[in-house]
Amino acid sequence: MRVVIKNDYEELSHWAADYVVYRINKHKPSPKHLFVLGLPSGSTPLGMFKHLAQYYKEGKVSFENVVFFGMGEYVGIGAGDERGFQYFLWDQFLKYVNIKKEHVYFLDGLTTNFAKECANYEATIKKYGGVDLFIGGVGVDGHIAFNEPYSSLCSRTRVKTLTPSTLKANSRFFDNDVSKVPPLVLTIGISTMMDAEEVMIMATGAQKAEAVKQAIEGNITHVWPVSILQQHPHGIIACDETATAKLERETVAYFKEIDKNKF
């Protein structure tokens, strides 16, 4: 596992955007050689999105031959609902870059056939040869995508019930009313994410410190789904200084010492 520690949220966001640009440009995407990117929603990636949009504007990267997969959607919420994850990603990032709409995929929260929708999503990812880089955040309880604590570490895209802590955290998008947050989501599975060539989990703030500790120093357990990243051959934890508050100081010093290269 690689651990990248930056001083603050802005520095981390800048590094993450630089890394995405590096990976895309190294891949040299073309119509026959697409780069496949998995994107998260939530507040953590907003700074990265801002920098990526600016890099596109400056001509440092093109998204024309990049395929995007979202990580999940609320059951009962459709594409045009501003509370949904699909709307969020279009509003905060996708509309600012030169993507092709036919290259953007989201789970359909309005489907009446969950099993078919999830199976089709998995099949579509496979059609593109898998995901090159999956970017995700992590919850205070260690969930990745919407694989809540005690999720199967072998899980695939499916329906999940949200925990009270996640409902509370997401209530900010629903007038701060937990009762308005849909309790069910469609989400990619842990194995779906782990199948990607590379996975980068971003974590910022002291409230994520325990999750970061469990991800790096803890045992692999479904109690902390993020801990599965220890088994990925190309897993990255990218965090700011405050998110390392519960790590052993020797651990922090070690990763800072060995992380000499920009990428």
Side-chain angles (χ1 to χ4, degrees), residues 9 11 45-46 51 61-62 76 134 160 168 191 194 200-201 206 208-209 234 248 254:
Y9 176 75
E11 188 177 323
L46 289 176
H51 290 301
V61 66
S62 172
F134 241 131
K160 279 294 292 179
K168 182 178 180 180
S191 282
M194 290 289 286
M200 179 170 70
I201 299 297
K208 303 294 180 68
H234 301 289
E248 296 293 334
Y254 170 78

Side-chain angles (χ1 to χ4, degrees), residues 132-252:
D132 294 296
L133 174 62
F134 241 131
I135 303 172
V138 59
V140 296
D141 58 2
H143 75 256
I144 48 178
F146 282 102
N147 296 284
E148 302 280 31
Y150 303 98
S151 292
S152 168
L153 299 180
C154 298
S155 58
R156 290 287 177 183
T157 303
R158 68 210 188 286
V159 180
K160 279 294 292 179
T161 301
L162 298 181
T163 62
S165 64
T166 301
L167 291 170
K168 182 178 180 180
N170 289 359
S171 66
R172 65 188 186 278
F173 301 113
F174 293 83
D175 303 320
N176 292 311
D177 186 344
V178 173
S179 67
K180 293 182 180 179
V181 185
L184 297 178
V185 293
L186 298 177
T187 180
I188 64 164
I190 293 175
S191 282
T192 313
M193 179 182 291
M194 290 289 286
D195 279 349
E197 180 181 328
E198 189 169 33
V199 178
M200 179 170 70
I201 299 297
M202 300 177 66
T204 64
Q207 73 277 14
K208 303 294 180 68
E210 184 62 31
V212 169
K213 177 180 177 60
Q214 295 297 331
I216 298 170
E217 296 177 339
N219 296 322
I220 297 173
T221 170
H222 62 179
V223 179
W224 292 92
V226 69
S227 65
I228 193 63
L229 200 64
Q230 294 175 31
Q231 288 194 330
H232 198 287
H234 301 289
I236 301 173
I237 298 286
C239 56
D240 61 11
E241 192 74 38
T242 56
T244 69
K246 293 190 177 183
L247 290 175
E248 296 293 334
R249 291 301 91 189
E250 292 84 356
T251 302
V252 174

